[in-house]
Amino acid sequence: MASNDSDRVPVVGLSTYLERAKQGVWDVRAAFLPQQYFDAVTASGGAAVLLPPQPNPEPSAETVLDGLDGLILTGGLDVQPELYGAERHPLTDPARADRDAWELALLRGARRRGIPVFGICRGLQLINVAFGGSLHQHLPDDLGTERYRIGGGVFADNTVIVEDGTRLAGLVGAGEYGVHSYHHQGVDRVGEGLTVTARTDDGLVQAFELPGDEYLVAVQWHPEENSADRRLFLGLVAAASAHRAARDAAPAAGATTSVPRGVDA
């Protein structure tokens, strides 16, 4: 017997790397994402779908998004500084134009459809750039500390201060909140229309969101590394479920949200 639509779990897409990978005799480029990301989605009641960069990002994103209820822009290598008009820092990662173009296309298409979006680390930085913001390319130069990336694949423990009255506070509570960090870049100029919802004690932006009904939440830390606290993923999956229910109830109704200003990839 076929299951009812109400039994379907929401489908959440996660952007991925295209990286060299080895398995047995094979040494090839492959879609790659640490298991912690999709474990966090499935443990929160969603079905995780991996989204590797595509050679024709705009039409591919339009097709892929038709099957998604939520979107997570994941962590990874640095966003190209050319996208926000900055000269390249010597320690900025080599350009990954394929991933930048793909994620920007996904973000634009998701917003047109009203699909909930959650950005993690690089995902926050890419969203900020898409909204016309800029990045610090190497935080030790600006803050004089390595507190956000201690290296060796070890996540640093930091404490952020979550602003009361925000969507983020509704998910994890206001005030001090312990996080896992692994980044050497961060938000400089905040993108137009984004509301900062958390900072560290040095003033660095650690989270932002869009005000109003549109679900766009982004954090600079790595919540997928904390299996004891899935609240941010539960929030995204709940928003994805609500989006799917609203879409199914009124399939002819188009999304009314605007597309990001700024980068035209």
Side-chain angles (χ1 to χ4, degrees):
M1 179 182 295
S3 62
N4 295 327
D5 287 345
S6 60
D7 296 332
R8 286 180 54 236
V9 298
V11 179
V12 177
L14 300 100
S15 61
T16 80
Y17 312 80
L18 267 179
E19 297 293 345
R20 196 178 192 108
K22 292 184 178 182
Q23 184 185 46
V25 299
W26 304 109
D27 184 352
V28 297
R29 292 192 82 203
F32 169 79
L33 190 69
Q35 184 177 346
Q36 290 91 325
Y37 283 100
F38 43 93
D39 278 354
V41 171
T42 57
S44 301
V49 176
L50 302 188
L51 308 176
Q54 304 287 314
N56 297 301
E58 292 292 343
S60 296
E62 291 300 304
T63 300
V64 166
L65 288 163
D66 285 342
L68 298 184
D69 305 310
L71 174 67
I72 298 178
L73 299 178
T74 64
L77 300 178
D78 298 332
V79 176
Q80 298 172 85
E82 293 81 4
L83 294 179
Y84 49 94
E87 294 185 8
R88 179 172 292 273
H89 188 284
L91 295 179
T92 294
D93 294 328
R96 300 303 292 267
D98 60 341
R99 186 169 180 188
D100 290 341
W102 173 233
E103 290 183 333
L104 288 166
L106 287 171
L107 176 61
R108 283 191 290 267
R111 295 197 65 210
R112 282 194 295 270
R113 290 166 170 78
I115 294 174
V117 176
F118 181 29
I120 296 175
C121 197
R122 169 195 158 90
L124 171 140
Q125 294 171 7
L126 181 119
I127 292 168
N128 189 58
V129 170
F131 277 77
S134 64
L135 303 176
H136 294 289
Q137 289 190 59
H138 191 56
L139 289 171
D141 289 351
D142 299 292
L143 301 180
T145 178
E146 299 274 4
R147 65 182 286 191
Y148 298 114
R149 189 176 70 174
I150 57 180
V154 177
F155 286 84
D157 292 326
N158 281 289
T159 299
V160 304
I161 309 299
V162 178
E163 292 290 333
D164 196 11
T166 61
R167 189 187 297 274
L168 181 62
L171 294 172
V172 303
E176 293 189 353
Y177 182 65
V179 303
H180 296 83
S181 306
Y182 205 98
H183 61 97
H184 81 115
Q185 299 198 342
V187 171
D188 181 8
R189 183 179 66 253
V190 178
E192 183 177 352
L194 298 170
T195 297
V196 175
T197 57
R199 296 181 186 267
T200 32
D201 55 9
D202 53 14
L204 184 67
V205 173
Q206 291 288 337
F208 56 59
E209 62 192 43
L210 277 177
D213 295 333
E214 183 177 353
Y215 194 103
L216 188 152
V217 173
V219 299
Q220 182 62 83
W221 63 89
H222 283 269
E224 77 281 1
E225 292 297 320
N226 187 356
S227 61
D229 185 351
R230 298 298 197 199
R231 288 177 291 177
L232 290 169
F233 292 94
L234 287 165
L236 184 277
V237 170
S241 295
H243 168 73
R244 188 192 70 220
R247 181 192 63 209
D248 291 348
T256 59
T257 53
S258 60
V259 298
R261 298 179 60 183
V263 173
D264 183 15

